[in-house]
Amino acid sequence: MNKLPDELLEIIASNLSFFDFVHFSATHTRHVSCLRSDHVIKKMLVNDKSMSLLLFERADNKVECYLRGLLWNDRQLTPDEVVNAFPDSPKSKLGIARFKANCCIRGTPLNGQKVSTEAVVEAFPDSPEGKERLAFFKAHCCLKKMPLHGQMVSTEAALEAFPNTPKGRLEMALFKAQCCLRELLLYGQQVSPEAVIKAFPDSPEGKLEMAIFKAQCYLREPPPHGRRPSLKAVLETFPDSPEGKLEIAFFKQGCCLRGLPLGNPVLPHMVAKAFRNSPGGQLEIARFFGQCCLRRIPLRDQQIRPGDLLNAFPNSARGKLERAHFKAACCLRQPPLAGREITPDDVVKDYTAAKAILALVRFKAECCLNGLPLKRQAICADEVGRDYERGGWLAERDDFYSRLKQKASQLNDDNLA
């Protein structure tokens, strides 16, 4: 076996069923490293439909890890690795197109080249779901002023791209909501809140999104078009479902943080009570109390101290990440909210434990901009830039260098003054 060329081993592997491969690998691959590679395993698995589906889910997991800036199996993924992980199947075409869209939006290169909006449009398959996701991308281009074929995408072109499907109609209503909130013109006229409400489909998802939109109009300052909906109109719109109750809790949270009344002033303990009966309530309560701590909003007439909150976050993967975000926010406050209680080194340790590589780079960038040392040493801007480049986060790298330049210019102006 050791003397067989790799090409022949690949032919053997690609013609085996999954069961045969497991048996074959158990008896023969101890000394054949070729058959352990992702390349050969992927080539073999695509011949089995059930295994191809698992391979797609594995690739989708890599996408999620990369986009969230997390390590995958304790190592940092590259964008090219993510794309190459997808099996050769119709379902993968949509997955690859969606990932390319994210790369385009983030300025992340693939195969050493920037992903253009035109390349993303060409990548979406001609299927109902492909058309829905393509319309969503065009809407994003419109709202973020990203050119397509050398021209800005108009609100009319973005709206008309949505297909006449249940999902398409919902996304169309959500796009109209964004036009309303941003006061963008559609067919030469501003989109009124009433027009948005009429656009939501009469479905469970549509009713929930309509309630969220009404809540956004209530919380927005100033309200869109100068008209704030009545509190009763907002509260009675939320459906009586677990999702509806969770959104009511988020609405109460928004009112509390903005000082808006719900008949009576909304106090932090009332918000916590609303979250307590929702999925993931412990995490949301901890995050909310973190916001109260940062904004110095008291809980039952007592200021919340950062140290009291650290054990409130659940000991889950997301809980650990949110705890790290809170500690980072405390540390970056000027002056630091926790004094010497939370140091930059503590935050780095937590982000490393959470395997949140992108969040770690962002925190190091903020420390660099604010002159905070790590391990008693100043952070080199080029080191931060290289960290962004290693992950393919070039848009964020450019934003960091731009802010660094502005900071230097401001310091020069202050010195001259």
Side-chain angles (χ1 to χ4, degrees):
M1 289 296 298
N2 287 337
K3 294 181 179 179
L4 291 177
D6 287 352
E7 292 80 6
L8 182 55
L9 289 172
E10 288 192 19
I11 293 173
I12 294 172
S14 63
N15 284 279
L16 293 174
S17 68
F18 183 68
F19 176 81
D20 290 336
F21 176 77
V22 171
H23 177 72
F24 181 79
S25 62
T27 55
H28 294 295
T29 59
R30 182 173 298 173
H31 304 293
V32 186
S33 59
C34 170
L35 292 183
R36 296 175 186 161
S37 70
D38 273 359
H39 168 69
V40 176
I41 292 174
K42 174 184 171 183
K43 192 173 180 180
M44 180 276 300
L45 287 180
V46 294
N47 294 330
D48 186 294
K49 287 186 178 180
S50 60
M51 291 302 106
S52 180
L53 180 61
L54 288 176
L55 203 61
F56 174 83
E57 292 178 357
R58 182 169 177 262
D60 208 38
N61 180 254
K62 286 186 175 183
V63 169
E64 184 179 357
C65 286
Y66 180 81
L67 294 179
R68 292 177 60 197
L70 304 176
L71 294 177
W72 190 84
N73 285 352
D74 294 325
R75 68 184 186 86
Q76 188 173 348
L77 291 165
T78 66
D80 293 339
E81 282 181 300
V82 175
V83 170
N84 293 332
F86 282 96
D88 185 13
S89 67
K91 192 174 183 179
S92 291
K93 292 181 180 178
L94 180 60
I96 292 172
R98 293 180 65 177
F99 182 66
K100 283 185 175 181
N102 276 289
C103 289
C104 175
I105 292 166
R106 292 174 172 223
T108 301
L110 284 177
N111 297 320
Q113 293 185 337
K114 183 179 178 181
V115 182
S116 66
T117 53
E118 293 80 12
V120 174
V121 170
E122 292 174 2
F124 278 105
D126 186 19
S127 64
E129 192 174 0
K131 291 176 180 177
E132 290 169 357
R133 300 310 304 180
L134 174 57
F136 183 80
F137 176 69
K138 287 184 176 180
H140 186 92
C141 290
C142 172
L143 296 174
K144 295 296 182 181
K145 301 188 183 303
M146 297 170 59
L148 179 62
H149 300 300
Q151 294 182 335
M152 293 299 172
V153 180
S154 67
T155 52
E156 294 81 10
L159 186 72
E160 291 167 4
F162 287 104
N164 189 24
T165 62
K167 181 69 173 176
R169 289 190 290 274
L170 177 60
E171 292 293 348
M172 186 187 301
L174 291 171
F175 176 69
K176 282 187 175 181
Q178 286 300 309
C179 291
C180 174
L181 294 171
R182 298 172 188 231
E183 299 191 356
L184 301 177
L185 296 181
L186 183 62
Y187 299 110
Q189 295 182 339
Q190 288 192 341
V191 183
S192 67
E194 294 78 13
V196 175
I197 291 169
K198 289 180 181 178
F200 281 106
D202 187 20
S203 65
E205 297 83 3
K207 291 177 181 177
L208 180 62
E209 292 294 348
M210 180 176 64
I212 294 172
F213 170 69
K214 285 187 177 182
Q216 288 175 324
C217 292
Y218 186 86
L219 294 172
R220 202 171 186 85
E221 194 61 51
H225 308 291
R227 301 196 300 274
R228 178 174 279 119
S230 69
L231 181 60
K232 181 181 178 182
V234 176
L235 291 176
E236 69 184 7
T237 309
F238 284 103
D240 186 18
S241 64
E243 295 82 6
K245 291 176 181 177
L246 178 61
E247 291 300 335
I248 288 177
F250 280 125
F251 175 60
K252 290 183 176 181
Q253 172 183 275
C255 290
C256 178
L257 295 176
R258 290 167 174 80
L260 295 172
L262 281 174
N264 295 311
V266 184
L267 302 178
H269 71 273
M270 299 176 183
V271 177
K273 184 179 179 180
F275 274 123
R276 198 161 285 127
N277 295 323
S278 67
Q282 183 185 353
L283 176 60
E284 295 302 341
I285 291 171
R287 290 177 62 189
F288 168 64
F289 281 165
Q291 287 295 311
C292 291
C293 175
L294 293 168
R295 299 177 187 219
R296 303 189 184 279
I297 299 174
L299 175 63
R300 299 187 187 277
D301 298 324
Q302 294 285 330
Q303 290 292 338
I304 304 173
R305 296 180 301 176
D308 298 335
L309 271 183
L310 299 183
N311 292 327
F313 290 92
N315 195 32
S316 60
R318 192 178 171 201
K320 291 176 182 177
L321 180 58
E322 291 297 337
R323 184 191 299 125
H325 286 331
F326 172 66
K327 291 174 77 171
C330 290
C331 188
L332 292 170
R333 296 276 289 207
Q334 295 298 330
L337 188 62
R340 296 182 181 274
E341 188 175 350
I342 298 173
T343 68
D345 293 331
D346 292 332
V347 177
V348 169
K349 183 179 178 181
D350 281 10
Y351 276 136
T352 303
K355 301 178 182 179
I357 190 67
L358 177 56
L360 175 57
V361 178
R362 287 171 175 167
F363 177 69
K364 288 172 68 176
E366 293 300 325
C367 288
C368 179
L369 290 166
N370 290 281
L372 296 177
L374 288 178
K375 296 181 180 179
R376 299 182 180 180
Q377 292 186 340
I379 301 172
C380 174
D382 289 338
E383 178 187 342
V384 175
R386 286 192 293 270
D387 286 342
Y388 275 126
E389 289 169 6
R390 195 174 296 114
W393 304 300
L394 301 190
E396 294 203 40
R397 177 206 61 184
D398 294 343
D399 180 65
F400 165 68
Y401 281 133
S402 175
R403 292 174 63 199
L404 193 68
K405 187 176 179 180
Q406 290 176 2
K407 190 89 173 180
S409 177
Q410 184 180 352
L411 288 174
N412 287 335
D413 291 343
D414 291 343
N415 290 334
L416 290 173

